[in-house]
Amino acid sequence: TDEKRPFPFRRVMDSSTHAALLANFSGRECLVYKCVADPNFESWLENNKTIGHTAINLVGRASSEGKYEGPTISEAMNIVEAKEDVHFGCVCIAERHTLEAAQQRGKTYPTEHVNMVRKIKAGAKWFISQAVYDAEPTIRLLKDYAALCKQKKIAPSKVVLTFAPVSRKKTMTFIKWLGVRVPIETEELILSAEKPIEKSIEYLCDVLREILSECAGVGVPLGISCESVSIFKSEIDGVHELFRRLQTIMLDSSGTPWKVQWVEVMPPAGKIGDDADGGDDEGALVALDPSEKVRTLLLGIMVGTATVSLGVILGKGKRA
């Protein structure tokens, strides 16, 4: 996009280092995102394996600007596939799977499903979507993906659908800057509501219901991931509520009895500041004692990010 980034870019700690902290606190293995545009990709991979991570989600770089360094996605897949006891997945972007996107690329029909099957053949064990705010492109992608897998006689890898609640116009602008397709009527519905975060959660629940209804029986195993793309309290809190509701919808759709047991793995830590519109965009977290910094990093700034959201993948088999 040519639009200006709504939030400033902040360099954070290496994903594998953060995932190691989270795994240590939670007792659960993490799925680690890694941008392949890294000239030290192979050494990073070796270090990552030494730490103990065995699941990597490969992503391309965010922008085509500047000199490209590091392996391509295809090269990175080959590198990871050659490693023992390390598995990888990739992203899938439903916004690429529209007729408009196909026309812009000079094609008569979208081909994201073809890319997914190519990546399965290269070893991809799962796919994680971009944040979903429009059900139609995702439904088209899942149906085409299922049909192509059936035609090629291969088992479809799981698709994890990502959802991100929004409570502020600036965050909505950022969601769209990231490439997420948000219908104008949806944006107006959410931002004009008395409680935008609640309306966002309700809307995203309806989106998941529509996807499950339209794609029932296609044979693609599905999961959910919830994330916050900002550090504002209402949106971070909204991630937890959204996940609880989406989890219920997903499990109910299986048609079998289910039970969830929640276990607190660490106490809440850190104070989160006011996120009212017009406030300081930089000031969502207040200063903490050194002993609280790791917990705050895990439960505050990063709680809705990819690392945490990837720990909540649901479903272990194909849907009926």
Side-chain angles (χ1 to χ4, degrees), residues 23-38:
N24 182 56
F25 274 103
S26 68
R28 299 288 183 177
E29 184 179 359
C30 294
L31 193 159
V32 183
Y33 267 68
K34 177 58 180 176
C35 176
V36 303
D38 179 354

Side-chain angles (χ1 to χ4, degrees), residues 266-279:
M266 70 182 84
K271 241 170 98 181
I272 301 196
D274 187 11
D275 67 338
D277 285 342

Side-chain angles (χ1 to χ4, degrees), residues 275-288:
D275 67 338
D277 285 342
D280 183 1
D281 287 347
E282 311 298 322
L285 292 177
V286 300
L288 299 171

Side-chain angles (χ1 to χ4, degrees), residues 113-157:
H113 62 312
V114 177
N115 293 333
M116 293 169 71
V117 168
R118 173 177 58 82
K119 291 172 181 178
I120 289 177
K121 291 180 177 179
K125 299 297 189 293
W126 64 81
F127 295 96
I128 300 174
S129 81
Q130 188 167 251
V132 180
Y133 262 86
D134 186 359
E136 182 181 349
T138 298
I139 292 168
R140 179 196 293 271
L141 176 57
L142 291 174
K143 288 183 174 180
D144 287 345
Y145 170 55
L148 185 58
C149 286
K150 184 176 181 179
Q151 177 188 331
K152 299 291 185 180
K153 293 182 170 52
I154 61 175
S157 294

